[in-house]
Amino acid sequence: MKDDVVICRCEDVTYGEIVRAIESGLTTTEELKRVLRCGMGPCQGRTCSRLIARIIAEKTGRDIEEVAYPVVRPPTRPTEIGILAGDDEK
Amino acid sequence: MRSSAECVIIGGGVVGTAVAYYLAKRGMRDVVVLERDFLASGATGRCGGGIRQQWSTEPNTRLAIESVRIWKTLEDELDADIEFLQGGYLVLAYTDDDVAQFEKNVGLQRGLGLAVETLSPEEILTEVTPHLNTEGVRMATWCAEDASANPFLTTQAYADAARRLGVEIELWTPACRIIVEGGRVAGVETPRGKISSPFVVNAAGGHSVPLARTAGVELPVTPYRREILVSEPLERFLDPMIISFSYGVYFRQTKHGAVIGGFADPDAPEGFDESSSLAFLVSMTKKLRHLMPILAPVKIVRQWAGLYDVTPDAQPILGATDGVEGLFQANGFSGHGFMIAPKVAELLAQAIAGEEPELDIERLNARRFEGGDFTQDRSVV
């Protein structure tokens, strides 16, 4: 795959950036997310998590089933502050 | 993994990696950092990233002021982008108690050389941000030199710089037991084997408590869950962190553009629970909408939680341990470890290397609580 292929579309993180980070020793989706932001955007990794897990598996020689996906955090779907806050009873 | 080292540091957060870096910089390079998961996976990577110098006790204020001196040139020193930004901190007063306390705080802070001013609600709107709803706000204190940085990138930068100097960082390697022999620390036991060492640093955040217990030491530190959330990225509209102790809120816009913020639930039970709650999501979004109505249409993308390791006076436990020679504590940061990490780590490295620390850290020894006579920092959010 070409280095400039975008893997995380929300945060514009490319294949090359991910590979370099893995080579520097970041070998889990959680670490890559924290340093490169891949999976931290509005889709919260729905698009890229599987791709990133596959790149990790390829580059570290692990089975893809052994590569954990990042923790899914609420509210799961991006939701407006005004909606979450509900009616202002105060 | 090495079987012996000059110093073993437990905890790969900002404090642990920074202590490793400052030790290596002083020439002690045979240092191992043990991290249970990955770098900044504990409290550091879960924090809001604020760097505040406006505190109500002298040690916290001094540690923060001295840390900002280091923060200002840290990107050059570590040769990394850590998203450091001196956007200021605006501290809002709502009550009579706030106003009286803030007057004392400003006196203390100015006495220590901090450029802090008081602002009226009108001045907040013209000088800091036009977007704040100042309803009920009596006044505010403002320090333009307060700052923020990215906790992951900072920890990574300290770790990388430490590694370049020869430090070994062992990820996925928990410390199971601190080994003590004849009143002296002898090393650390891990599932991958034992590392013998004459010096051990306990920088494991809330987990420092059970860890210290393995060495027969009881730390006056209690872990509490603290929650936080983050929005989608927005065009730049806000440089400072905005906080209030009485209203219970802190939030800022990161360099990346997202609004990040939280508050401390005074009813949070103690313990190691790091789950998120719907109650927090609702309360926090109410607070954000109230303080900044323009945020109502902004989407929240993520919420999470982490642990505050709280001491009775909200100041860290730092330095030597009575009864266990060679065991150093760097924990109990009570929610503000990230911001004071640079100076704390440098002072601890000085103490471990046998130098006289530049600032007196004896007053931050755990024995200060023994008499029951201590002053609590009231500026905790």
Side-chain angles (χ1 to χ4, degrees):
Chain A
M1 201 181 300
K2 278 193 188 159
D3 267 11
D4 60 358
V5 172
V6 172
I7 299 292
C8 170
R9 297 189 297 203
C10 298
E11 297 288 341
D12 280 343
V13 183
T14 65
Y15 177 76
E17 288 174 289
I18 292 171
V19 169
R20 279 192 294 281
I22 295 170
E23 285 167 356
S24 82
L26 305 171
T27 56
T28 62
T29 52
E30 293 284 6
E31 291 165 279
L32 291 170
K33 169 180 155 182
R34 283 162 175 79
V35 173
L36 295 178
R37 299 196 56 85
C38 45
M40 270 196 184
C43 96
Q44 288 292 288
R46 263 179 207 75
T47 319
C48 65
S49 284
R50 203 169 163 77
L51 294 170
I52 294 166
R54 208 173 102 187
I55 300 168
I56 293 173
E58 276 173 17
K59 294 294 163 192
T60 61
R62 278 185 282 170
D63 195 288
I64 187 156
E65 303 304 322
E66 293 169 31
V67 181
Y69 290 165
V71 174
V72 177
R73 303 210 185 268
T76 316
R77 189 194 178 104
T79 309
E80 289 177 20
I81 287 173
I83 291 172
L84 292 165
D87 297 330
D88 224 343
E89 65 265 33
K90 202 180 88 168
Chain B
M1 194 170 75
R2 297 179 200 186
S3 61
S4 71
E6 281 179 274
C7 180
V8 175
I9 297 162
I10 305 169
V14 69
V15 172
T17 54
V19 172
Y21 168 73
Y22 291 113
L23 278 176
K25 200 179 154 187
R26 320 196 102 63
M28 193 189 275
R29 298 181 172 200
D30 186 12
V31 171
V32 175
V33 178
L34 297 176
E35 165 52 47
R36 188 180 67 162
D37 296 319
F38 49 86
L39 291 175
S41 55
T44 298
R46 294 159 187 274
C47 83
I51 300 170
R52 164 159 60 103
Q53 301 164 92
Q54 302 179 65
W55 291 91
S56 77
T57 61
E58 195 248 313
N60 272 343
T61 312
R62 206 181 271 277
L63 286 171
I65 291 172
E66 292 297 324
S67 290
V68 167
R69 287 213 176 114
I70 300 175
W71 278 112
K72 281 185 189 172
T73 56
L74 198 56
E75 295 192 323
D76 284 341
E77 180 171 356
L78 302 179
D79 190 24
D81 176 11
I82 57 172
E83 297 180 0
F84 179 72
L85 171 76
Q86 278 190 298
Y89 251 73
L90 182 73
V91 190
L92 305 174
Y94 282 91
T95 65
D96 288 344
D97 278 356
D98 279 349
V99 174
Q101 181 67 43
F102 286 17
E103 249 167 56
K104 284 189 222 162
N105 294 356
V106 167
L108 169 91
Q109 292 155 3
R110 285 184 178 155
L112 293 170
L114 189 66
V116 56
E117 49 189 308
T118 57
L119 300 180
S120 67
E122 295 71 32
E123 287 168 328
I124 293 171
L125 297 176
T126 54
E127 290 177 31
V128 181
T129 171
H131 303 299
L132 189 78
N133 171 13
T134 55
E135 181 191 332
V137 173
R138 302 270 300 276
M139 50 82 80
T141 61
W142 166 246
C143 175
E145 303 228 323
D146 282 345
S148 58
N150 180 316
F152 308 131
L153 299 183
T154 303
T155 308
Q156 194 67 42
Y158 267 124
D160 288 343
R163 282 180 178 128
R164 288 195 291 269
L165 294 172
V167 169
E168 272 186 22
I169 299 178
E170 301 291 351
L171 305 180
W172 314 104
T173 309
C176 306
R177 187 168 74 93
I178 297 169
I179 306 163
V180 182
E181 285 166 8
R184 251 226 77 96
V185 84
V188 180
E189 218 170 74
T190 83
R192 297 170 58 199
K194 185 182 128 179
I195 310 178
S196 37
S197 175
F199 296 112
V200 171
V201 178
N202 183 6
H207 301 280
S208 295
V209 182
L211 210 49
R213 229 168 256 154
T214 67
V217 175
E218 204 55 45
L219 293 175
V221 173
T222 313
Y224 288 99
R225 177 177 74 174
R226 292 290 182 253
E227 297 188 71
I228 183 166
L229 54 71
V230 70
S231 78
E232 62 189 325
L234 308 170
E235 208 172 296
R236 186 111 217 115
F237 76 103
L238 185 69
D239 283 336
M241 177 84 92
I242 295 177
I243 70 172
S244 171
F245 312 119
S246 53
Y247 186 70
V249 75
Y250 68 88
F251 68 99
R252 70 176 173 106
Q253 186 181 23
T254 64
K255 262 198 176 169
H256 171 263
V259 173
I260 184 169
F263 69 93
D265 175 3
D267 299 323
E270 64 176 79
F272 294 95
D273 177 17
E274 288 184 332
S275 61
S276 320
S277 76
L278 179 62
F280 168 80
L281 184 60
V282 172
S283 302
M284 185 61 201
T285 48
K286 279 186 196 297
K287 286 171 192 273
L288 284 174
R289 183 180 60 183
H290 172 75
L291 288 173
M292 270 200 183
I294 57 158
L295 292 177
V298 172
K299 289 180 176 127
I300 297 301
V301 297
R302 193 164 63 248
Q303 67 172 128
W304 65 96
L307 301 176
Y308 272 24
D309 49 346
V310 179
T311 62
D313 64 0
Q315 299 182 92
I317 294 175
L318 207 59
T321 310
D322 286 351
V324 186
E325 211 183 318
L327 176 60
F328 286 81
Q329 306 295 340
N331 47 60
F333 288 97
S334 308
H336 46 277
F338 178 67
M339 57 184 79
I340 60 175
K343 195 63 192 182
V344 160
E346 194 177 56
L347 292 168
L348 204 63
Q350 289 167 350
I352 295 166
E355 300 166 29
E356 186 67 35
E358 274 167 57
L359 298 177
D360 176 22
I361 58 169
E362 274 299 303
R363 58 200 295 197
L364 293 172
N365 193 290
R367 78 177 81 87
R368 69 184 182 270
F369 301 114
E370 281 165 15
D373 177 29
F374 52 84
T375 311
Q376 188 187 2
D377 200 307
R378 300 190 56 193
S379 303
V380 177
V381 67

